[in-house]
Amino acid sequence: MISAERSQSQSPRSPGAAAGAPFLSICVTDPVKMGTGVQSYISYRVITKTNLPEFEGAEKIVIRRYSDFEWLHDRLAEKYKGIFIPPLPEKNAVEKFRFSKEFIELRRQALDLFINRLASHPELKQSEDLRTFLQADEEKMDRARSYETGIFKKPGDFIQMFKDVQSKVSDVVLGKEKPVEESTPEYEKLKHYIFELENHLAEAQKQAFRLVKRHRELGQSLADFGKAIKLLGACEGDSLEKVFSEVGSKSEMLSIKLQREADNLLFNFEEPLKDYVRAVQSIKATMLDRANAFRQHFDLDQERKYKELNLEKMKFMNPEKFSESETEFSELKAASEEATKRYEHIVSVMNDELARFQEQKTADIGLAFHEFAKGQAKLAKDIADAWRSILPKLEACSSS
């Protein structure tokens, strides 16, 4: 049984337009397999409801596929430096699981969460690219995706960019690469926290996955045991058959409950933890942007200082070239100031983003553990009640 409870309860959708309050509500739904063979993919209906004036109407329904979400993510990552762009679910999957109901629902849920995080972000929700994604027909969307300028080229370029980021993040952010890097006590503390958080979240998610697997294994074992004990009772006959049949039925009933709780754990506990592992990786990508911005700021500032000293000397030693050098210095100074502004902007935005991230993480992870504890408590009660209910019959049988 595949559950969609988390998507319904945790997507940070805007509330209805109470008394005309502005709202933006988005739902990713109805996954459908399209095409055949290696060309097959899953499409989704994306339903947008809003009263914001910049949108074309109160409701819009479009069809999107994973690569469209990927396009939106990459556009935002390039345009909004310093902002933690919400993560997408992983692109690749083992072929035999790629179109399983469970995988499709997990991806739909993650895409729904992604788009609603954008819609709830104070800056990202104003993006023209987001409006294009939510409103454009398929032909216009295809044109937007194939738009080749700057970094927006073919998908292979994005793959290579991602590999470059993956290979550089640890080197630059951890300080293994040693050109020039930002090294304040506050930033060092942040870097240490982010990498520790990623490790601990990944380990927690790994153990949560094992819990899901154990619940499913135990559920299957109870189902098999239930069938076996019923056959044993039929073989014995008389009073044992009735008692053993009831034991078998209880086992099969508990098997179903365990399988349901395994699904609950997968969607409402393990998946939220995995989502935050991906979120931390998005933060690390932003830290790479910050490292690159700092390096450019530092290099240009050093060059500006060097040129400024030479300019003063040239003013007296080579007056005929002074005017030309002064123009070059002015251009360099402007570039240096612009690089400093970019770096300071990223730092400022990151500080705000970290506060948002910590607040949202506390709420989301707290909810995940609450769902875990609630599910485990109910399961334990159901198991205890089931076995307790047949104890009198088993005791009567054993004493006769």
Side-chain angles (χ1 to χ4, degrees):
M1 179 179 293
I2 304 300
S3 166
E5 290 179 5
R6 177 175 176 258
S7 180
Q8 298 298 323
S9 64
Q10 290 192 44
S11 292
R13 300 194 178 114
S14 302
F23 74 96
L24 176 60
S25 173
I26 309 170
C27 181
V28 178
T29 186
D30 297 338
V32 176
K33 183 179 178 182
M34 309 292 288
T36 58
V38 295
Q39 300 298 321
S40 58
Y41 63 92
I42 301 296
S43 70
Y44 308 87
R45 289 177 69 199
V46 181
I47 305 172
T48 303
K49 297 181 180 180
T50 184
N51 61 358
L52 298 177
E54 56 266 33
F55 283 79
E56 294 173 359
E59 180 172 333
K60 185 75 174 181
I61 300 176
V62 295
I63 303 299
R64 296 290 181 256
R65 57 188 293 185
Y66 180 87
S67 55
D68 296 321
F69 288 87
E70 194 174 32
W71 169 86
L72 177 60
H73 177 278
D74 292 337
R75 293 281 293 192
L76 296 175
E78 176 61 22
K79 290 184 177 182
Y80 292 89
K81 297 298 184 183
I83 290 179
F84 303 154
I85 306 301
L88 286 170
E90 293 81 0
K91 180 174 183 177
N92 297 319
V94 178
E95 184 63 30
K96 66 177 181 178
F97 299 126
R98 195 158 65 100
F99 296 111
S100 69
K101 288 183 179 180
E102 182 177 285
F103 176 81
I104 290 172
E105 175 55 25
L106 282 170
R107 173 168 281 189
R108 184 208 63 78
Q109 178 176 287
L111 293 175
D112 185 89
L113 189 59
F114 163 75
I115 203 70
N116 277 282
R117 279 176 171 164
L118 297 182
S120 67
H121 193 282
E123 286 192 54
L124 298 179
K125 70 181 180 183
Q126 301 176 43
S127 164
E128 182 181 345
D129 293 313
L130 177 60
R131 291 196 295 275
T132 297
F133 176 89
L134 295 175
Q135 299 179 122
D137 58 34
E138 291 183 60
E139 184 180 347
K140 185 176 179 182
M141 191 68 215
D142 286 340
R143 285 201 306 270
R145 285 177 52 200
S146 61
Y147 179 57
E148 292 196 18
T149 181
I151 71 158
F152 303 113
K153 298 180 181 177
K154 53 186 181 296
D157 294 330
F158 289 119
I159 295 172
Q160 187 57 49
M161 284 171 55
F162 179 76
K163 289 179 179 178
D164 291 344
V165 168
Q166 290 291 89
S167 65
K168 290 178 181 178
V169 163
S170 294
D171 288 345
V172 174
V173 178
L174 279 176
K176 294 178 183 176
E177 187 179 311
K178 289 292 183 183
V180 59
E181 60 184 54
E182 182 181 0
S183 185
T184 63
E186 294 80 8
Y187 194 51
E188 289 298 319
K189 184 178 179 180
L190 172 61
K191 289 190 287 186
H192 178 77
Y193 167 72
I194 291 300
F195 279 86
E196 285 287 295
L197 179 62
E198 181 183 32
N199 290 337
H200 294 319
L201 280 170
E203 182 61 25
Q205 183 262 321
K206 175 182 172 184
Q207 299 306 325
F209 174 78
R210 289 182 177 178
L211 280 173
V212 173
K213 185 179 178 182
R214 294 288 172 83
H215 277 64
R216 286 179 172 165
E217 289 172 347
L218 181 55
Q220 186 59 52
S221 296
L222 277 172
D224 295 339
F225 174 73
K227 293 174 184 177
I229 206 68
K230 282 183 176 180
L231 291 173
L232 176 61
C235 175
E236 291 291 335
D238 299 328
S239 60
L240 279 178
E241 180 177 3
K242 186 175 181 181
V243 174
F244 281 14
S245 177
E246 191 167 349
V247 171
S249 295
K250 294 293 183 183
S251 295
E252 290 171 343
M253 179 269 290
L254 290 175
S255 169
I256 294 172
K257 288 184 178 293
L258 275 158
Q259 296 294 351
R260 287 175 177 170
E261 180 56 22
D263 286 341
N264 179 54
L265 279 173
L266 175 64
F267 283 89
N268 298 323
F269 188 57
E270 194 247 335
E271 183 62 20
L273 290 173
K274 182 186 288 187
D275 174 66
Y276 267 90
V277 173
R278 294 190 291 253
V280 171
Q281 291 168 353
S282 293
I283 295 176
K284 289 167 64 179
T286 305
M287 293 169 75
L288 177 60
D289 287 336
R290 176 169 170 165
N292 289 335
F294 176 81
R295 186 177 303 172
Q296 187 176 34
H297 144 72
F298 181 87
D299 290 346
L300 285 172
D301 187 57
Q302 291 297 106
E303 186 178 357
R304 178 191 62 78
K305 291 176 181 177
Y306 175 76
K307 294 277 187 182
E308 190 172 22
L309 288 174
N310 284 347
L311 192 64
E312 288 297 319
K313 295 177 182 177
M314 187 174 294
K315 186 175 183 179
F316 300 101
M317 298 176 64
N318 200 344
E320 63 274 11
K321 288 189 176 182
F322 176 76
S323 179
E324 180 183 346
S325 296
E326 189 177 35
T327 301
E328 292 177 357
F329 175 75
S330 296
E331 294 173 353
L332 175 62
K333 183 180 179 182
S336 176
E337 290 173 349
E338 183 61 31
T340 299
K341 286 179 182 178
R342 281 198 300 269
Y343 163 68
E344 291 175 346
H345 173 73
I346 290 177
V347 172
S348 175
V349 171
M350 275 190 69
N351 289 337
D352 293 338
E353 288 292 292
L354 281 166
R356 280 174 51 83
F357 171 77
Q358 293 289 28
E359 182 180 355
Q360 191 65 51
K361 174 172 64 68
T362 299
D364 290 344
I365 298 298
L367 178 60
F369 274 88
H370 177 268
E371 290 296 308
F372 167 73
K374 184 172 71 173
Q376 292 296 294
K378 185 178 184 306
L379 179 63
K381 183 179 183 302
D382 289 343
I383 292 173
D385 289 347
W387 295 130
R388 190 179 293 115
S389 68
I390 59 172
L391 281 177
K393 294 180 181 179
L394 289 170
E395 289 170 356
C397 182
S398 63
S399 61
S400 61

